[in-house]
Amino acid sequence: MGAHLLSALESGYNGSVDEFTDVVHFEASVNGRAMMDHDLPAAGPERRNRLLRRSLAYACLALRRVPEESEHPVLGYVSLSEGGLADDTLTSHVTFCTRRPGILPYAGRIQDHSGEALLELSRDDAAQFLGGHTG
């Protein structure tokens, strides 16, 4: 399939490759994880700030390990949203996938995501967040 998968996450993925119609959504599913938040306050600005910093750090550290000569650009996506219908706990999810010609992007138009805050990061963005260090 030619997918770019994070080796540390691929081994823990239990889904079937056959359930995906394209490689980008397969990558996003295997490479996606909810950010650990059990040690954070239940609500408030401290939860939001620490959860966002943790998610950005994780995304940037993973992206900086992507080889520059990667055939397709690998992007990271960090989302912040409330947990669900009966749960207003702020949660975060981080995933990674490629952008490929002829395949719809993972997130489409970022500005169309109204139920969550969604950030798309490139390898170059990660380098800027980490002070230019990409290796």
Side-chain angles (χ1 to χ4, degrees):
M1 186 176 238
H4 290 268
L5 304 175
L6 299 177
S7 57
L9 300 179
E10 181 182 15
S11 62
Y13 184 73
N14 296 318
S16 169
V17 175
D18 298 331
E19 67 187 66
F20 296 97
T21 58
D22 66 61
V23 66
V24 170
H25 287 85
F26 172 62
E27 290 169 342
S29 294
V30 173
N31 294 334
R33 293 293 184 272
M35 188 53 55
M36 195 280 297
D37 62 357
H38 304 292
D39 61 324
L40 299 179
E46 184 181 353
R47 177 181 180 81
R48 181 191 63 235
N49 295 341
R50 289 175 58 192
L51 189 57
L52 181 58
R53 280 195 308 269
R54 182 176 292 176
S55 300
L56 284 171
Y58 172 69
C60 288
L61 290 171
L63 284 168
R64 80 178 199 173
R65 305 290 288 186
V66 173
E68 281 188 65
E69 64 277 358
S70 180
E71 180 181 355
H72 303 287
V74 177
L75 301 171
Y77 293 89
V78 175
S79 68
L80 287 174
S81 62
E82 291 182 342
L85 296 175
D87 183 3
D88 61 357
T89 303
L90 186 65
T91 61
S92 180
H93 188 266
V94 180
T95 196
F96 306 90
C97 58
T98 54
R99 179 175 290 143
R100 296 170 184 249
I103 298 178
L104 290 175
Y106 169 70
R109 292 170 27 104
I110 297 290
Q111 59 270 31
D112 290 344
H113 290 261
S114 59
E116 64 185 332
L118 182 63
L119 176 65
E120 178 184 82
L121 296 163
S122 68
R123 187 176 188 282
D124 291 342
D125 295 329
Q128 285 184 345
F129 277 120
L130 297 173
H133 302 288
T134 58

